[in-house]
Amino acid sequence: MNGYRVQEHDPEWEPPTDVIRTPGRAAPPRRRSGAARALQGLSGSVTAGVVVLALVVVVTAWLGSRRGFPGPGAVSVTAHVVAAVLVVVAQRFADHRRGGVAVVGSLVVFFVTAVLLWTQWWG
């Protein structure tokens, strides 16, 4: 013997009904409109820019403290890091949702970026 148990076929046996899943085709995913995709692409680019900007500010602050020249202060570094985290979360939210919710995620990216630029660079 090979160690496997062989069950006899019982034509009367039916599997429990709570286990049976009806096979069906999944609905095709809704495509985003051209405007929504463009908005999401633009907000993705802005997100990348904010992350790079935050890295530049952090490195500049670090270099300034090591070489004895004034650099961005702790408030500016904190603002850039917090903004970078917020825009990455908002962009990820926009990337994984559809419809108006995705648009709101993209708009949050633009809003946070505008606040960061206004308060830390232009204000």
Side-chain angles (χ1 to χ4, degrees):
M1 288 253 147
N2 58 10
Y4 292 106
R5 187 172 158 205
V6 179
Q7 289 183 332
E8 294 181 23
H9 176 67
D10 181 9
E12 302 276 329
W13 183 83
E14 291 184 18
T17 56
D18 60 342
V19 180
I20 297 176
R21 297 209 162 80
T22 308
R25 289 183 27 192
R30 293 184 319 177
R31 298 213 16 114
R32 293 185 175 135
S33 69
R37 285 187 296 177
L39 183 67
Q40 185 178 0
L42 183 61
S43 68
S45 298
V46 169
T47 298
V50 170
V51 169
V52 169
L53 186 62
L55 290 174
V56 167
V57 169
V58 167
V59 168
T60 303
W62 178 74
L63 283 175
S65 68
R66 288 191 51 132
R67 297 188 179 178
F69 65 86
V75 172
S76 183
V77 171
T78 303
H80 282 80
V81 170
V82 168
V85 169
L86 288 175
V87 297
V88 166
V89 169
Q91 183 64 35
R92 181 161 164 74
F93 185 80
D95 285 342
H96 292 279
R97 302 292 192 279
R98 301 266 191 244
V101 178
V103 171
V104 169
S106 294
L107 293 177
V108 167
V109 169
F110 296 128
F111 177 75
V112 170
T113 303
V115 168
L116 175 71
L117 292 177
W118 188 264
T119 60
Q120 299 302 311
W121 290 88
W122 300 325

